[in-house]
Amino acid sequence: MTNRLLFSLAVVVSILFQLPTAALAQQVPVSAGLALTPPMGWNTWNKFACNVSDELVRGMADAMVKSGMKDVGYQYVVIDDCWQVSRDKNANIVADPQRFPNGIKAVADYVHSVGLKFGIYSDAGSKTCAGRPGGLGHEYQDALMYASWGVDYLKYDWCNTLPDQDAKASYANIRAALDTSGRPIVLSICEWGKNQPWLWGKEAGGNLWRTTGDIQDRWAGQQKWGDGSCCSNGMLDIVDQQVGIGSYAGPGHWNDPDMLEVGNGGMTTTEYRSHFSLWTILAAPLIAGNDLRNMTPEIRDILTNKEVIAVDQDPLGREGRRVAKDGDLEIWAKQLRDGGRAVILLNRGSSQHEITVIWEDIGYPNHLSAAVRDLWAHKDLGSFTGKFSAPVDSHGVVMVTIRP
Ligand code: GLA
């Protein structure tokens, strides 16, 4: 009798204690805790556009491992636009049977088999930007399909949306659909900054959001698209559009100044080093966009510079900002978790110039002595008080950490 009573009591107590836990478990979405540092990976678009295939993606996953990129943190292999051709009679999305003869799941399985994660692309409108079937009205159906294929990352574009389609609601909807699948999937919002996604992207459940129109592989200068609409951006045009929105980024939710062009041939090695450095100081997602199967050693060294990547991936998750500008000479600084600063001296001009960072501009008192380390030369430069100066090549950067 006493035993039975004790047992019943134990059951009641355990139910009472489990209830709040169960209720809590329902509220925490499966995607919570994703992208605590900016996502790193590779995407087909910048180099291959619609020329995507099973073979290309497998080759790039292999190259990510072989080149050492996986070892320094690159993880997601993402197929952008043009993998999809139609919907079947049940409205399920259909992959291009010529380019993906074994279906998308086979590619995802391969990417997973080499220890990487797999991403895919769709669009919040009726069609993607390249005119393939979009996700509008099929969000839950598509999310379940993606999850069944083993998708870990979804880039969701904004072409061919309805004139009155609400961006925040649309992205919250696809996030809810992805979470319903039970698979943790990173959501990359791609509406080009049109509706100020930094104001609502986190609440909508986005892990990153594009802040601008597309990047193109050049140092600077906006250019009109073929249809006369405005505009693609050079690298520096994108950088300039990041000023003032840094405080909206943080662990799990990042400003995305678009994917990297490093290695695609339109800039010099010096310029690519600047491009990569600036993306890391911006705590930007590092999504390479070049052909990883045949990189020059210089390009590989840029993409795999651990000391520079550590600035991007610093766990504090603070986005850096422009702290000083004098014509073509700029200083960018990012606070690090250990109290140090990562600093870029950037020379946008056409001849070499000395640039000086003063401690006051990076939030240190001028009497402070601090150790300076050059992250591209991999060299300790010694202790400095109040300021640090270095000659900076045209279109180049000097990137250092400064630690009291
Ligand atoms: C848009 C996006 C690009 C790319 C293309 C694909 O332009 O901004 O990043 O995904 O669509 O068509």
Side-chain angles (χ1 to χ4, degrees):
M1 187 66 180
T2 330
N3 275 351
R4 275 177 63 185
L5 199 70
L6 272 175
F7 178 73
S8 317
L9 206 69
V11 169
V12 170
V13 167
S14 78
I15 286 172
L16 279 178
F17 274 96
Q18 274 170 20
L19 266 178
T21 328
L24 202 69
Q26 268 183 359
Q27 281 167 17
V28 177
V30 66
S31 53
L34 284 175
L36 293 180
T37 60
M40 294 174 66
W42 179 85
N43 173 300
T44 50
W45 185 254
N46 280 359
K47 170 82 184 170
F48 297 96
C50 273
N51 208 2
V52 294
S53 69
D54 177 302
E55 196 195 340
L56 178 78
V57 178
R58 286 178 199 243
M60 228 49 84
D62 288 342
M64 194 179 273
V65 176
K66 254 201 230 141
S67 62
M69 287 176 72
K70 175 176 179 243
D71 288 341
V72 296
Y74 292 85
Q75 201 178 12
Y76 295 98
V77 178
V78 183
I79 310 179
D80 206 280
D81 209 345
C82 302
W83 61 268
Q84 62 282 72
V85 284
S86 59
R87 290 190 180 273
D88 69 14
K89 63 178 187 332
N90 297 318
N92 288 319
I93 192 79
V94 176
D96 185 328
Q98 258 89 52
R99 291 173 173 273
F100 296 93
N102 308 305
I104 299 294
K105 183 170 188 306
V107 184
D109 287 348
Y110 184 78
V111 170
H112 291 145
S113 77
V114 299
L116 296 169
K117 292 190 167 168
F118 177 73
I120 209 161
Y121 162 102
S122 188
D123 187 290
S126 56
K127 285 183 176 166
T128 70
C129 296
R132 306 303 176 91
L136 187 60
H138 299 282
E139 293 84 358
Y140 280 72
Q141 184 176 10
D142 287 349
L144 292 178
M145 185 69 87
Y146 299 154
S148 77
W149 291 342
V151 166
D152 306 299
Y153 181 113
L154 176 68
K155 174 175 169 184
Y156 219 52
D157 219 333
W158 191 243
C159 277
N160 303 300
T161 45
L162 300 166
D164 61 350
Q165 194 170 328
D166 183 79
K168 180 180 176 187
S170 300
Y171 285 102
N173 191 32
I174 188 66
R175 163 48 78 204
L178 293 171
D179 284 346
T180 303
S181 79
R183 192 173 172 87
I185 298 176
V186 169
L187 176 60
S188 157
I189 294 177
C190 179
E191 59 75 81
W192 325 306
K194 288 238 170 231
N195 302 276
Q196 300 181 291
W198 44 90
L199 298 178
W200 49 262
K202 177 184 172 196
E203 215 176 288
N207 299 108
L208 55 156
W209 47 80
R210 282 275 299 279
T211 54
T212 68
D214 289 9
I215 192 170
Q216 279 187 346
D217 186 16
R218 61 179 169 273
W219 172 248
Q222 292 193 311
Q223 277 177 19
K224 285 202 169 148
W225 292 104
D227 66 2
S229 66
C230 185
C231 282
S232 70
N233 296 284
M235 190 274 289
L236 283 184
D237 306 289
I238 298 227
V239 168
D240 288 336
Q241 292 174 69
Q242 309 313 306
V243 173
I245 58 173
S247 62
Y248 296 102
H253 51 96
W254 308 100
N255 284 313
D256 173 9
D258 206 355
M259 303 175 290
L260 297 165
E261 292 284 9
V262 175
N264 278 336
M267 292 185 238
T268 64
T269 305
T270 300
E271 291 171 341
Y272 280 140
R273 212 172 283 128
S274 301
H275 173 19
F276 194 72
S277 303
L278 286 160
W279 259 235
T280 67
I281 214 104
L282 289 168
L286 299 178
I287 309 291
N290 58 319
D291 191 340
L292 308 180
R293 298 167 304 185
N294 48 38
M295 288 185 276
T296 63
E298 291 78 26
I299 293 301
R300 183 192 164 279
D301 288 352
I302 292 174
L303 289 172
T304 57
N305 184 328
K306 277 192 200 171
E307 294 195 67
V308 173
I309 290 172
V311 171
D312 183 76
Q313 297 289 304
D314 182 79
L316 182 64
R318 219 29 103 73
E319 181 171 326
R321 54 192 193 90
R322 186 159 68 195
V323 297
K325 179 168 174 67
D326 175 11
D328 284 334
L329 312 180
E330 298 184 0
I331 306 207
W332 290 75
K334 178 184 199 283
Q335 190 178 335
L336 304 174
R337 186 170 67 173
D338 66 4
R341 305 285 191 261
V343 173
I344 288 178
L345 314 179
L346 167 67
N347 179 2
R348 304 164 67 132
S350 52
S351 55
Q352 199 197 61
H353 225 286
E354 178 153 287
I355 303 183
T356 301
V357 52
I358 55 169
W359 277 199
E360 218 166 62
D361 283 342
I362 56 173
Y364 290 154
N366 279 338
H367 65 263
L368 198 74
S369 157
V372 176
R373 180 171 173 81
D374 186 321
L375 304 187
W376 285 109
H378 303 293
K379 229 170 113 186
D380 289 327
L381 302 180
S383 273
F384 293 79
T385 304
K387 63 181 181 173
F388 167 74
S389 304
V392 185
D393 288 340
S394 160
H395 291 190
V397 294
V398 166
M399 184 168 183
V400 294
T401 49
I402 301 181
R403 292 194 161 98

